[in-house]
């Protein structure tokens, strides 16, 4: 059984997530640091080399479960979301199965479950953006896991972690008035050999996408390209880019979108700490010709990690959990002063 699981995983390519150092709170020297990835990893594959800042993933120990990525508050660790998103999107166009009345649904399974259909190494790869996107496309999504307590890939609490992911996605989607339709369940015998059904058009598209290679139930791995930090849009992780895109239908003008981000009060001393620790440089500090400072926030790039709040020397930063949709389209002015440190 285990040999079959690892044989399938080996076909997926490089299972190690991409690490982007400037997004790591350890490399940013944020007060309190962060050990979310280390705590989430079930195989001690996350290392912090002595005398260094940041993390390293041991490729010999990493199983590609994705739990470190799921836990990372800043997108420093990430997988390409394209394949699972495309799979969910394409499945909504499948012809209805006469044996299963109702509209088409999308499924994602884990390799160890043995259930057929589009599969990931572990459902620890599922993130709020993926669930929110399914809601945006109005396609029911079923997440099928195996015996997590005995799994060699992930860990026993994967179903509970999935529940937290779904809750986070639903909180984001509340502003749209249309919650995602998500079911999380264990595999049953009827799932064995579940075929990946696609329309003729979908199959042709998939073949083109795969460059003519044979279709596989395992969703293909694609290494993420190097992040060009000089290009501001690349600083925002895919996860938060897709969370923003998944706000469909468009929320009403007065509806608050759950997107935790910082605001600044009058205790601010105009120091550069918040901008220095921000892992995506969502906070920028503009020096004015007359000696003043403007502190700006790119809301869509903010991951809500609150490193700025925890690191602020005078405690001038506080969290605002909800924002109007219009705030995503402008630079939010956090503070403007006529002097600086």
């Amino acid at each position: 059984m285990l040999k079959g699981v690892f044989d399938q995983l080996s076909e997926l390519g490089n299972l190690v997530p991409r690490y982007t150092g400037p997004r790591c709170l350890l490399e940013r020297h944020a007060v309190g640091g962060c050990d979310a990835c280390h705590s989430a990893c079930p195989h001690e594959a996350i290392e912090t080399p002595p005398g260094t800042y940041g993390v390293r993933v041991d490729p010999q120990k990493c199983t590609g479960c994705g739990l470190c990525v799921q836990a990372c508050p800043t997108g420093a660790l990430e997988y390409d979301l394209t394949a699972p998103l495309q799979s969910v999107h394409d499945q909504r166009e499948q012809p209805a199965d006469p044996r299963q009345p109702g509209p088409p649904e999308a499924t994602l399974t884990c390799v160890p479950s043995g259930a057929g259909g589009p599969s990931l190494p572990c459902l620890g790869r599922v993130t709020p953006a993926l669930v929110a996107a399914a809601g945006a496309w109005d396609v029911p999504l079923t997440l099928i896991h195996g015996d997590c307590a005995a799994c060699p890939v992930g860990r026993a609490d994967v179903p509970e972690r999935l529940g937290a992911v779904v809750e986070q996605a639903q909180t984001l989607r509340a502003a749209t008035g249309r919650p995602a339709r998500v079911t999380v369940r264990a595999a049953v015998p009827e799932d064995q050999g579940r075929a990946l059904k696609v329309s003729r058009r979908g199959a042709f598209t998939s073949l083109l996408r795969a460059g003519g290679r044979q279709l596989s139930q395992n969703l293909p791995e694609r290494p993420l390209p190097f992040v060009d930090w000089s290009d501001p849009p690349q600083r925002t992780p895919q996860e938060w880019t897709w969370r923003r895109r998944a706000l469909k239908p468009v929320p009403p003008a007065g509806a608050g979108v759950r997107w935790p981000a910082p605001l600044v009060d009058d205790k601010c001393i105009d120091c550069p700490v918040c901008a220095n620790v921000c892992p995506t440089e969502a906070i920028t500090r503009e020096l004015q010709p007359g000696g003043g400072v403007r502190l700006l926030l790119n809301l869509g790039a903010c991951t809500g990690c609150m490193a700025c709040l925890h690191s602020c020397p005078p405690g001038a930063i506080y969290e605002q959990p909800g924002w109007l949709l219009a705030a995503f389209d402008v630079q939010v002015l956090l503070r403007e002063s006529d002097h600086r440190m």
Side-chain angles (χ1 to χ4, degrees):
M1 170 64 180
L2 293 186
K3 183 179 185 300
V5 168
F6 288 116
D7 283 347
Q8 289 186 67
L9 289 179
S10 68
E11 296 174 1
L12 294 175
N14 182 15
L15 296 171
V16 177
R18 178 178 70 177
Y19 173 64
T20 302
R23 294 192 193 133
C24 180
L25 297 182
L26 295 178
E27 290 202 19
R28 285 285 178 176
H29 303 285
V31 171
C34 181
D35 70 347
C37 58
H38 181 269
S39 298
C41 180
H43 305 294
E44 298 183 347
I46 306 290
E47 304 172 347
T48 303
T52 66
Y53 294 94
V55 301
R56 175 182 176 274
V57 183
D58 186 340
Q60 302 304 315
K61 296 179 180 179
C62 179
T63 63
C65 67
L67 290 166
C68 59
V69 172
Q70 194 183 76
C72 181
T74 64
L77 291 166
E78 59 184 334
Y79 288 108
D80 187 8
L81 290 174
T82 305
L85 284 166
Q86 190 69 58
S87 175
V88 170
H89 183 273
D90 285 354
Q91 288 180 73
R92 71 175 184 165
E93 299 178 354
Q94 295 175 13
D97 187 338
R99 297 170 299 177
Q100 299 178 357
E105 68 169 21
T107 65
L108 288 175
T109 72
C110 64
V111 169
S113 73
S119 58
L120 297 164
C122 173
L123 293 188
R125 294 281 193 101
V126 176
T127 65
L130 182 57
V131 175
W137 296 323
D138 200 23
V139 56
L141 176 62
T142 299
L143 303 171
I144 304 173
H145 61 82
D147 181 2
C148 296
C151 181
V153 180
R155 53 190 284 175
D157 63 351
V158 165
E160 289 74 19
R161 289 171 177 266
L162 278 175
V165 166
V166 171
E167 182 179 358
Q168 191 173 354
Q170 298 290 33
T171 301
L172 175 64
R173 288 206 52 75
T176 71
R178 190 172 74 194
R181 292 175 286 168
V182 190
T183 301
V184 179
R185 65 171 177 83
V188 296
E190 291 75 17
D191 293 319
Q192 305 301 312
R194 175 194 293 262
L196 173 58
K197 303 183 294 296
V198 294
S199 65
R200 291 179 62 186
R201 176 173 174 269
F204 181 69
T205 303
S206 297
L207 281 169
L208 288 178
R209 252 184 230 114
R213 292 173 297 186
Q214 183 177 1
L215 285 171
S216 169
Q217 289 186 0
N218 293 340
L219 296 180
E221 290 284 345
R222 187 179 72 175
L224 284 166
F226 175 76
V227 173
D228 180 0
W229 203 255
S230 67
D231 182 13
Q234 292 192 39
R235 299 171 192 166
T236 304
Q238 277 192 3
E239 171 69 19
W240 278 267
T241 297
W242 275 100
R243 289 187 193 188
R244 170 68 181 88
R245 290 176 179 172
L247 288 172
K248 302 289 178 62
V250 177
V257 176
R258 172 73 181 184
W259 195 283
L263 283 179
V264 177
D265 65 26
D266 290 338
K267 293 191 294 293
C268 179
I269 57 176
D270 300 306
C271 76
V273 170
C274 58
N276 289 345
V277 301
C278 182
T280 58
E281 299 188 7
I283 297 178
T284 53
R285 183 172 179 262
E286 293 185 353
L287 305 181
Q288 302 303 300
V293 174
R294 297 179 79 232
L295 204 59
L296 301 168
L297 171 68
N298 177 358
L299 183 61
C302 179
T303 69
C305 70
M306 291 300 142
C308 53
L309 184 154
H310 301 302
S311 302
C312 180
I317 295 178
Y318 61 98
E319 178 184 314
Q320 176 159 302
W323 298 75
L324 297 179
L325 192 65
F328 288 93
D329 300 322
V330 298
Q331 289 284 307
V332 178
L333 180 63
L334 296 176
R335 177 173 171 80
E336 187 168 24
S337 66
D338 57 6
H339 67 280
R340 62 176 181 262
M341 290 185 67

